[in-house]
Amino acid sequence: MAIHPIVVYGEPVLHRKADPVVDFDDDLRTLVADMFETLKVSNGVGLAAPQIGVGKQIFVYDADDEVEGRRRRGVFINPILTASRIPDSRPHPDTESEGCLSVPSLDFPLKRANKVTVNGFDENGERISLSAEGWFARIMQHEFDHLQGTLYVDRLDKRWAKKWTRAKADFGYGVPGLSWLPGTDPDPFGHEAVDEDLD
Ligand code: ZN
């Protein structure tokens, strides 16, 4: 297994729709294993293939589901997501802040749907399905978005989008070619272990 560098906002592969996986072969299974390894070392809770520079519809997740009271870990390939309505209210900065391994060191509040169902395939081509609520539903929406070429910072409301625009300039994000290597470069979110930040 290998740990892959994580590309940063501005890298073109993050900003286009990922391609569906066609071959469920050993190369795919190696890639998925690498994604789990990279996710673990990055202390994130989810990782989408475009974040390691691979424009394919794959994401992995590994996080506590507080509603279900258990840890959930898995992969989705070629997923389809259905979600409840996103509430038309302002996001709470303490309880609804989201982060992304491809937007290092930052987090911003964002409203998400409370309930989702994801359908797709695992690395062996078997059909799989997952339903989630609350924080875990947020993780699913965040990762699914990555496969559409959308990052959470692209969805911020006006007030937070302004702050993001400023932070993007300060950090020098928004240009191609930036990346960081989990386990080698300093953890951009200061984690010692997995916590509530999304990847
Ligand atoms: Zn992300």
Side-chain angles (χ1 to χ4, degrees), residues 77-121:
I77 296 167
N78 301 346
I80 293 170
L81 178 137
T82 52
S84 58
R85 204 180 61 82
I86 297 172
D88 192 21
S89 52
R90 297 174 95 171
H92 196 290
D94 294 335
T95 56
E96 295 179 295
S97 269
E98 210 163 302
C100 179
L101 295 175
S102 292
V103 188
S105 308
L106 296 171
D107 54 80
F108 295 100
L110 174 65
K111 276 313 225 198
R112 290 287 196 181
N114 188 48
K115 285 186 181 183
V116 299
T117 297
V118 190
N119 287 287
F121 298 87

Side-chain angles (χ1 to χ4, degrees), residues 115-158:
K115 285 186 181 183
V116 299
T117 297
V118 190
N119 287 287
F121 298 87
D122 69 11
E123 70 273 41
N124 298 310
E126 301 290 332
R127 279 184 187 279
I128 48 172
S129 180
L130 176 153
S131 292
E133 268 184 62
W135 190 258
F136 211 86
R138 179 181 290 270
I139 296 171
M140 293 296 117
Q141 290 166 81
H142 180 113
E143 300 311 327
F144 181 79
D145 270 358
H146 270 300
L147 306 184
Q148 317 311 309
T150 301
L151 279 74
Y152 84 101
V153 285
D154 300 327
R155 287 184 176 274
L156 300 176
D157 67 23
K158 232 184 199 168

